[in-house]
Amino acid sequence: MGECNVLLIGPPGAGKGTQAAFLVERHGIPQISTGEILREAVASGSELGERVRKIMEVGELVPDEVVIQIVEQRLRRADCAKGFVLDGFPRTPGQAKALDAMLRRLGRAPLRVVFIEVPEAELKRRILSRGEGRPDDTEAAVRRRLEVYRKETQPVLEHYGRSAVAVDGLGTVEQIAERIAGALDRS
Ligand code: AMP
């Protein structure tokens, strides 16, 4: 079987992390979540963590060069050889271009891009009720994260154009996982 290089894209609260975990189970490939990697850096109190903590807390984006470097280092690890699931990256057109160049340089197969679509009112409800206790789950930070998504991340969808397959992100976790599996078969 070839590489299974998946990109899950969608607004905050769309269920990217949950669905990435399903793909990890199903395909035995690692999840690369820049949000998780950054939260670990903050928790460890590293220099990087100190740099990004305040940015994350208010729902802004960490600079492109920081996350691009994180992803490149992660993709070079041996466990990504058969594929990977990217979740939360790329979030800007600049990151998307850097990812294209990186995949070419590393000689990797093309990405399969799945866009998880969820209406904004539902996103707010989900994030504010999920109770993960993330410091950026306050009402103000959530509002800002949604704004940043519209402004910075929606253009990433245009970058992928028709190669991105949209799936309905409303329903049970299992229903959405089935739709994503179907979309990956078609892509
Ligand atoms: P997430 O867990 O994907 O919702 O990410 C949480 C926060 O981490 C975001 O609100 C950003 O502050 C930061 N972050 C995660 N991924 C990226 C990225 N690709 N580019 C810039 N900032 C990011």
Side-chain angles (χ1 to χ4, degrees), residues 7-22 86-88 91 114-128 130 132 134 137 142 145-146 149 153-154 157 166-177 179-180:
L7 164 55
L8 296 182
I9 186 164
K16 298 185 293 295
T18 306
Q19 294 301 328
F22 265 88
L86 274 170
D87 126 45
R91 255 181 164 89
V114 178
F115 169 47
I116 308 179
E117 253 179 320
V118 178
E120 188 154 324
E122 168 70 8
L123 297 171
K124 281 200 182 130
R125 194 191 62 74
R126 283 190 195 176
I127 300 174
L128 295 173
R130 71 183 170 190
E132 284 175 3
R134 275 171 51 170
D137 279 352
V142 170
R145 283 160 61 200
L146 288 168
Y149 173 78
T153 308
Q154 260 175 1
L157 277 173
V167 302
D168 177 4
L170 289 179
T172 66
V173 169
E174 290 77 14
Q175 283 170 333
I176 300 161
R179 289 176 201 143
I180 292 175

Side-chain angles (χ1 to χ4, degrees), residues 30-32 37 70-77 79-80:
Q31 171 181 5
I32 304 179
I37 295 169
I70 287 175
V71 170
E72 172 137 21
Q73 279 174 2
R74 186 64 191 84
L75 280 177
R76 284 178 181 280
R77 279 170 43 187
D79 63 339
C80 292

